[in-house]
Every structure is written in structure tokens, then in C-alpha cells.
Amino acid sequence: MTTAPPPASLIPRPVLFWSGVALTSAGVIEHLWMFLECAPMDFDMSMMTMTPAMWAAMVAIVVGVVLSALALRQPAGARSAPAPGAETTTAGRRRLIAILSFALIVDQMKPATLAFVSPGMRQEYHLSAADVAWLPTVALTGTVLGSLIWGRAADRIGRRATILIASLLFLGTTVCGAMPSFSGNLIMCAMMGMAAGGMLPVVYALMTESLPPGRRAAIMVLQAGLTTTGGYMAASGLAALLLPLSGWRMLWFAQLPPVLLLIALNRWIPESAAFSAGKERATRVPAATLFRRPQTTKTLIVTAYGLAWGLVYWGFITFLPSQLEASHSHGMSAATLLFLSSLLAIPTCALAAWLYTRWSARNTMVLYAGLTVASLVALAVLGLDDSGPLTLAAVMLLFAGTAGVIALLGPYTAEIFPTAIRGTAGGWVAAVGKSGGAFGPPLIALVLSAPGGMRTAAVFVALPMAAAGVAVLARGSNPQAAREATDKTPLDAELDSLLHDAPVPARP
């Protein structure tokens, strides 16, 4: 008689897990206490050295994160246990959507905060503009590595466990606010970036596998766009409230309560049933599967789309505020452009979600790529010296187009890849897009030195976006079939054919 595998608990070793959380929290609180003791010095910690208590607190944070991560490891052969009411009731699904949306807002707050801590950090440490530029560079490099690591981890240890481990790293890296040296801040920001880089692809994978077909795609696209806006608004709101009172360091510590709340809400984050069923597969699916037939074309298409977005967003748009201010013709500050970007994301993403579901996922991807290209071409023709409404409209459409592109890319990737490599694919695409933060600014700076300046740069970044749009139109997958499938999806049939060298069945 065959014995059924034991059921898995939500947290296999709860005592060990919560002990690790408590130990990590204690380490963070010790750093917070040291920060508060610097109030008489206007919270300037740059002249301090790491005390024995702070080193002990750092050890507590590392040990706590490791203990909690080990506590999440399921016993061999254990079956997945769903979270209470997570996938079986309408109320449970709505609760799951709300929790995962909250997780993405917390995730987006981390990189968004960099823009608000940089001025105060530069002043306290007496840094040059070139020195402080290392902060976003290191953090974005961390997000690239994090996307690759956690995307792969989601396919190995599970979606739920990966989200919780990323949350634990969020908790530990709030001590950015107490690092006495700038080098210490760089190290902690790199770790913060690694945690932040992995949340998006894992959440999209879990959403795809936990919600029923129908409105799922629209919910994911809307969620992708609005949580990005929500993360920026939360970071900017905290900055407006706390910077005049306690300076830039408090912006990191202020993220401690929402991270603790996210960890406490883990009870209602389920493991994906599709992932759990796939764990029974005898053959382990390697990450290189992304670049093997029949996945190769899909991987290359979403890679091109992500690279094109990264070049436009991290390259061209990074220089846009300074170029507009240098023209002295618009009176538009960088803060105004950021506000417009956040504001335009709301209707842009709502429209993208509607079109993605009601019209065509593939055509919606092409439409927003085309909108981005058209706005870039308009800026190349008009230039930034023209103060007319056409130039301002082109700038606004550029923000609308890029907001739609990134809102569509993550959900689209999650829908077109098989369950066994969905997290890996999402992590790869997220890493590709964020890598634009490393190569985009220096590349565009080089182009700006060529004849034509910003006009030339606009054409330069429009070309790869146009190529990506054409690639999606010509060879892009249509996730509608996978969305409507019930039992074994065509995506998993493709994967089986790859693993067993069988012919791939024809798809409509």
C-alpha cells in the first residue's frame, strides 16, 4: 500500500521562523536606537564608527535571516498546503490580490527612496555628484542580480518561500539608515537591491497560478502599473513628512513597520498549486531551457522588449529633466516630470489592462511600444527648445508609453512561459530591463555628445523599441490560449516535449 506524502505546513518550523524574525528585528531596533541617540547632532552619524553593539546587531540580523530562511524549507516529499481561503473563495482571492499588491508597493518603495536620500547623503558625507551616483548604480546592480537569483529560486523552492525570504532581506536592510560610512551604505543598498529585484517576477508567477482565467490578466497589468505608482507615492510622502524632522536616514527606518506587516500577512500567501504539482516531475528543468526550443523565440522577444524599455527609461528619461531645464523654455522641473509620470501611470495602466484582456495581449504590447516610439520621434523632430504644446504633449506621451510597456511586460512574461520555468523567465526579463540602469546613462551620455544632442538620442533609443515592437507583432506569443486552458496547458505540453524529445503539438 502506497503511503501518501505528509502535508506541508505554511511554515514547516514556525518556532525557528519567528525566532529568526525576532532576532532580525532586534538587530534593526538596536541600530534604530543608535540613530535616535544622534538627535543632538542633527542625526549626523558620519563621524561615528561601528560600535561593538552595532556589530553584534549586524550578526543578529544575518543569523536571524538565515534561521528564518531555513525554517521555510519543506520536508522532502511534503505536499503543498494552501493558505486559508486563498484560492477557493472570491474573498480569499481578493485578499491575496491585496496582500501581493501591498508586497509590490513595499518592494517599489526601496528603489524609489534612493532619489530622496541621495541629497542628504551627499551633504552629510561631503560627496561629489560622481561619488553619490554610485548609490543608484550599486542598488540597481543588486536588483539585476536579485531578479536572476530569486526568479530561479521561485522555480526551485517555491513562490511563497521566495517572497518571504525577500521580505526578510527587506527587514534586515532597513539598517541602511544607521550606517556611519558611505561604503557601508553602498553594501547595504546592494543587498536591498537584491531583495527588491526578486519580488516582481515571483509575485507575477504566483498571481498567474493562483487566480482563475478571465480577468486575471487585467488584474495583473493594472497591479503592475499601480503598485509602481503607489511605491513612489509612498516614498515621496514619507520624504515630505520625515526629511524636515529627522533627515534622510529615517526614510529607511520608516519602512520597518510595513515590512513587518508583510511578514505577518504570510498566513494568507499560498503556495501555487501548479508549482506544487510540478515538483513531482522527475526531471529538473534547467535555467538554460529558456534558450532552447521551443522557448527560444519567446525568450528573445521579451528580452528585446525589456532591453528597449530599459534603454528608454534608465537612459533617455534619466537625462530628460536636466535637458528640459537647460532649455529655459518650459519652466518644467524634474519634480514636475516625476509627478506627471506618476499621475499618467494611473489611466495609462487602466487602459492597458482593458486592452490586454478585451482586445489582444500581443497587440497591446505593440501599441504601447508604438506610442513610445512615436513620442520619441516627435521629440527628435520638435527638439526640446520648442516651448509649444506639441513638445509638452510628446513628453507626456513618452511617460504614458513607457509606463504601459513596463506594466505589460511582467504579466505577459508570466503568462507565456510554462510553470516550471515561469519564475526563471520573469527574473531574467526583470534583470534585463533593470540592467538599463547600468549601461543606459553612460551610453546616452555618449550619444548626447554627438551632433544633434537630445534629438540624436531620441532616435537612438527609438530604434530598439521599434524593433522590439515589430518582433512582438511578427513572432510574439498570444497568451489567450494558456489563459483559457483548464487542465494541462499548451505551455506545459511544450515543456514536456522539450524534456522528452517529443514533437511539439501544433498550436493555434
Side-chain angles (χ1 to χ4, degrees), residues 77-347:
R79 293 180 284 108
S80 175
E87 301 179 45
T88 56
T89 66
T90 300
R93 293 181 189 122
R94 289 175 177 171
R95 182 168 54 205
L96 176 62
I97 293 169
I99 293 173
L100 293 182
S101 297
F102 177 65
L104 290 182
I105 289 175
V106 173
D107 174 78
Q108 294 293 331
M109 285 176 64
K110 293 288 185 177
T113 302
L114 292 173
F116 300 100
V117 302
S118 294
M121 188 178 295
R122 181 180 177 182
Q123 180 179 0
E124 181 173 331
Y125 292 119
H126 306 289
L127 302 172
S128 66
D131 292 333
V132 81
W134 279 102
L135 184 69
T137 300
V138 167
L140 288 169
T141 302
T143 64
V144 172
L145 295 175
S147 295
L148 296 172
I149 293 170
W150 299 119
R152 186 57 183 161
D155 289 335
R156 296 290 298 275
I157 65 175
R159 283 65 163 126
R160 168 184 161 79
T162 305
I163 289 173
L164 282 176
I165 294 174
S167 301
L168 291 168
L169 287 174
F170 283 163
L171 177 61
T173 53
T174 53
V175 297
C176 277
M179 292 296 101
S181 67
F182 180 60
S183 59
N185 274 276
L186 291 179
I187 293 172
M188 296 307 300
C189 280
M191 295 179 63
M192 175 271 293
M194 290 186 65
M199 187 69 79
L200 269 74
V202 182
V203 166
Y204 294 152
L206 183 56
M207 290 279 290
T208 300
E209 296 157 7
S210 299
L211 301 181
R215 297 183 177 178
R216 177 183 68 201
I219 291 171
M220 290 170 61
V221 174
L222 193 61
Q223 180 190 54
L226 296 186
T227 53
T228 301
T229 303
Y232 174 79
M233 288 184 173
S236 60
L238 284 174
L241 178 65
L242 297 177
L243 282 177
L245 298 177
S246 52
W248 63 272
R249 293 180 180 273
M250 195 61 192
L251 294 183
W252 295 123
F253 285 120
Q255 297 177 29
L256 178 62
V259 173
L260 288 174
L261 177 59
L262 176 59
I263 295 174
L265 292 172
N266 84 88
R267 171 180 171 82
W268 291 283
I269 302 176
E271 184 53 272
S272 156
F275 169 80
S276 299
K279 286 179 66 177
E280 300 174 3
R281 187 188 300 273
T283 306
R284 178 174 292 174
V285 182
T289 303
L290 290 178
F291 297 96
R292 297 175 184 169
R293 297 181 62 187
Q295 312 301 327
T296 310
T297 300
K298 292 186 289 188
T299 301
L300 292 177
I301 286 174
V302 294
T303 297
Y305 204 81
L307 275 174
W309 173 83
L311 188 58
V312 174
Y313 186 82
W314 299 112
F316 186 82
I317 291 182
T318 297
F319 289 92
L320 192 56
S322 60
Q323 293 292 317
L324 282 169
E325 290 177 358
S327 68
H328 302 294
S329 58
H330 299 282
M332 184 178 292
S333 65
T336 302
L337 283 176
L338 289 173
F339 174 76
L340 285 175
S341 178
S342 300
L343 190 63
L344 284 173
I346 298 175

Side-chain angles (χ1 to χ4, degrees), residues 3-135:
T3 303
S9 60
L10 287 173
I11 298 179
R13 303 166 187 84
V15 174
L16 184 62
F17 177 82
W18 291 111
S19 297
V21 172
L23 193 58
T24 303
S25 301
V28 174
I29 291 172
E30 172 62 26
H31 281 82
L32 174 60
W33 179 255
M34 296 292 292
F35 165 74
L36 294 176
E37 287 187 332
C38 293
M41 299 181 291
D42 293 327
F43 301 102
D44 188 335
M45 302 180 71
S46 61
M47 303 302 293
M48 291 180 57
T49 58
M50 290 285 289
T51 65
M54 294 177 73
W55 281 114
M58 289 295 294
V59 172
I61 291 170
V62 174
V63 172
V65 170
V66 171
L67 290 179
S68 295
L70 291 174
L72 294 171
R73 183 178 178 84
Q74 293 285 357
R79 293 180 284 108
S80 175
E87 301 179 45
T88 56
T89 66
T90 300
R93 293 181 189 122
R94 289 175 177 171
R95 182 168 54 205
L96 176 62
I97 293 169
I99 293 173
L100 293 182
S101 297
F102 177 65
L104 290 182
I105 289 175
V106 173
D107 174 78
Q108 294 293 331
M109 285 176 64
K110 293 288 185 177
T113 302
L114 292 173
F116 300 100
V117 302
S118 294
M121 188 178 295
R122 181 180 177 182
Q123 180 179 0
E124 181 173 331
Y125 292 119
H126 306 289
L127 302 172
S128 66
D131 292 333
V132 81
W134 279 102
L135 184 69

